[in-house]
């Protein structure tokens, strides 16, 4: 299947539909906007059965993500998306509709990947990790393939400096207190000094080539952006390994510094708190 089309036309149509819905009595707005004037259950039944009008509206609703109320994202998107998937699995979408559906599901896949591999540890990340194989299998069934995502480091969401992890790493003697202080303040100047002249910034024993780190270890990563600024992101070490910057394992078991000359320095934590 070719590259998914832009979802912009759907956004434009739903913006116009939103204005029309706002002009209706409050009790009619939801049914008109999401369901062609029907109840959600009736609309989803028509959608799953291949009603073309319902399919067209469902594609626009899911593609545009323009909600009457913020909570509608959960209330309506899940039901409509499930019904549309059922129609897709039954082969009831036209080739053009399939392409739009691919774009919608690819966007969902991208969000899952970012949550699973580029978000902070927690229940949301764990949920995404569990959902990702299901989404990949669903796309295989719907479209005959799972799209390859081309995510660049600039696509990874930024996060706040991991102050607690940096402080813990300093207490475990993984990094120095000065490193923790400067990095907790997201000091761009300090980062430039680290990557340009690590020999004068790091303890001598940190300058030895560190042992290989597990590639799937989740890390906080502080690096320079294309615009000259610097910020923190999160990724598995395997994604970070070739990049210039400072990486701290989220479990504070190691840190790595890749300098501007292609060298990798770091330290492994061997001190256990009592």
């Amino acid at each position: 299947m070719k590259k998914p089309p832009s979802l912009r036309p759907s956004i434009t149509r739903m913006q116009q539909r939103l204005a029309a819905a706002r002009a209706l009595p409050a009790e009619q707005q939801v049914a008109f906007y999401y369901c062609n004037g029907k109840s959600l259950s009736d609309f989803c039944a028509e959608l799953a059965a291949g009603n073309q009008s319902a399919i067209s509206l469902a594609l626009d609703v899911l593609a545009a993500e323009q909600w009457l109320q913020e909570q509608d994202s959960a209330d309506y998107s899940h039901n409509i998306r499930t019904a549309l998937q059922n129609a897709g699995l039954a082969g009831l979408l036209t080739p053009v509709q399939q392409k739009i559906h691919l774009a919608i599901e690819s966007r969902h896949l991208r969000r899952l990947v970012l949550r699973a591999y580029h978000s902070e540890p927690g229940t949301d990340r764990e949920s995404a990790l569990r959902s990702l194989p299901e989404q990949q299998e669903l796309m295989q069934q719907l479209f005959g393939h799972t799209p390859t995502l081309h995510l660049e480091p600039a696509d990874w969401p930024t996060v706040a400096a991991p102050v607690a992890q940096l402080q813990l790493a300093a207490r475990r003697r993984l990094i120095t207190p000065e490193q923790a202080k400067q990095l907790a303040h997201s000091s761009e100047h300090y980062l430039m000094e680290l990557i340009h002249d690590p020999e004068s910034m790091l303890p001598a024993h940190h300058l030895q080539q560190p042992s290989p780190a597990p590639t799937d270890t989740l890390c906080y990563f502080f690096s320079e952006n294309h615009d000259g600024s610097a910020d923190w992101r999160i990724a598995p070490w395997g994604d970070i390994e070739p990049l210039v910057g400072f990486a701290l394992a989220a479990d504070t078991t190691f840190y790595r510094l890749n300098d501007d000359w292609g060298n990798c320095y770091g330290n492994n934590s061997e001190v256990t708190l009592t």
Side-chain angles (χ1 to χ4, degrees):
M1 191 171 288
K2 295 181 180 179
K3 180 181 178 181
S6 168
L7 299 180
R8 173 54 57 182
S10 292
I11 295 173
T12 300
R13 285 192 292 270
M14 290 307 291
Q15 287 173 338
Q16 295 169 346
R17 191 176 184 89
L18 183 61
R22 298 288 190 201
L24 295 173
E27 65 273 12
Q28 298 177 23
Q29 291 181 9
V30 167
F32 166 79
Y33 188 67
Y34 296 112
C35 305
N36 269 344
K38 301 176 178 64
S39 69
L40 179 61
S41 59
D42 287 345
F43 176 75
C44 287
E46 289 189 2
L47 173 56
N51 179 284
Q52 287 298 301
S53 176
I55 290 174
S56 294
L57 178 56
L59 289 169
D60 279 350
V61 167
L62 297 174
E65 296 185 331
Q66 304 275 321
W67 312 111
L68 279 170
Q69 303 290 337
E70 184 176 347
Q71 63 268 24
D72 291 352
S73 170
D75 293 343
Y76 290 91
S77 127
H78 174 73
N79 289 284
I80 292 174
R81 184 165 169 258
T82 300
L84 182 63
Q85 290 167 354
N86 290 335
L89 291 171
L92 302 176
L93 275 64
T94 68
V96 171
Q97 290 170 339
Q98 264 196 308
K99 290 179 181 180
I100 299 170
H101 194 198
L102 171 61
I104 293 169
E105 294 295 338
S106 295
R107 182 177 61 190
H108 187 69
L109 176 67
R110 184 179 189 275
R111 289 172 176 170
L112 281 177
V113 169
L114 289 174
R115 284 168 50 204
Y117 298 113
H118 303 288
S119 67
E120 300 208 51
T123 56
D124 191 54
R125 177 178 178 268
E126 295 302 319
S127 174
L129 282 169
R130 290 192 299 269
S131 299
L132 191 54
E134 298 174 4
Q135 177 65 14
Q136 293 169 327
E137 175 61 26
L138 174 65
M139 296 190 75
Q140 186 69 37
Q141 294 174 6
L142 283 168
F143 311 113
H145 74 289
T146 301
T148 301
L149 298 180
H150 301 286
L151 293 175
E152 301 294 332
D155 297 320
W156 305 344
T158 59
V159 297
V163 176
Q165 286 84 353
L166 289 164
Q167 292 175 344
L168 179 58
R171 290 168 57 200
R172 289 177 169 171
R173 301 175 190 172
L174 174 66
I175 60 177
T176 67
E178 179 62 19
Q179 279 179 284
K181 177 182 176 181
Q182 295 286 356
L183 291 165
H185 286 88
S186 301
S187 170
E188 179 186 346
H189 175 72
Y190 184 72
L191 174 66
M192 293 303 102
E193 290 184 315
L194 277 176
I195 64 176
H196 292 148
D197 189 17
E199 288 83 359
S200 67
M201 301 295 294
L202 299 179
H205 67 283
H206 290 199
L207 294 170
Q208 299 172 6
Q209 290 293 322
S211 58
T215 58
D216 60 348
T217 303
L218 196 67
C219 295
Y220 289 90
F221 183 55
F222 190 45
S223 64
E224 185 180 16
N225 287 325
H226 64 278
D227 61 2
S229 63
D231 52 37
W232 287 91
R233 290 180 163 83
I234 292 175
W237 168 243
D239 291 349
I240 297 170
E241 188 170 7
L243 305 176
V244 175
F246 176 95
L248 173 67
D251 60 6
T252 65
T253 53
F254 67 84
Y255 92 83
R256 296 288 184 268
L257 175 73
N258 291 337
D259 71 10
D260 253 354
W261 320 108
N263 302 307
C264 180
Y265 307 110
N267 191 24
N268 285 51
S269 177
E270 298 178 355
V271 177
T272 303
L273 293 178
T274 58

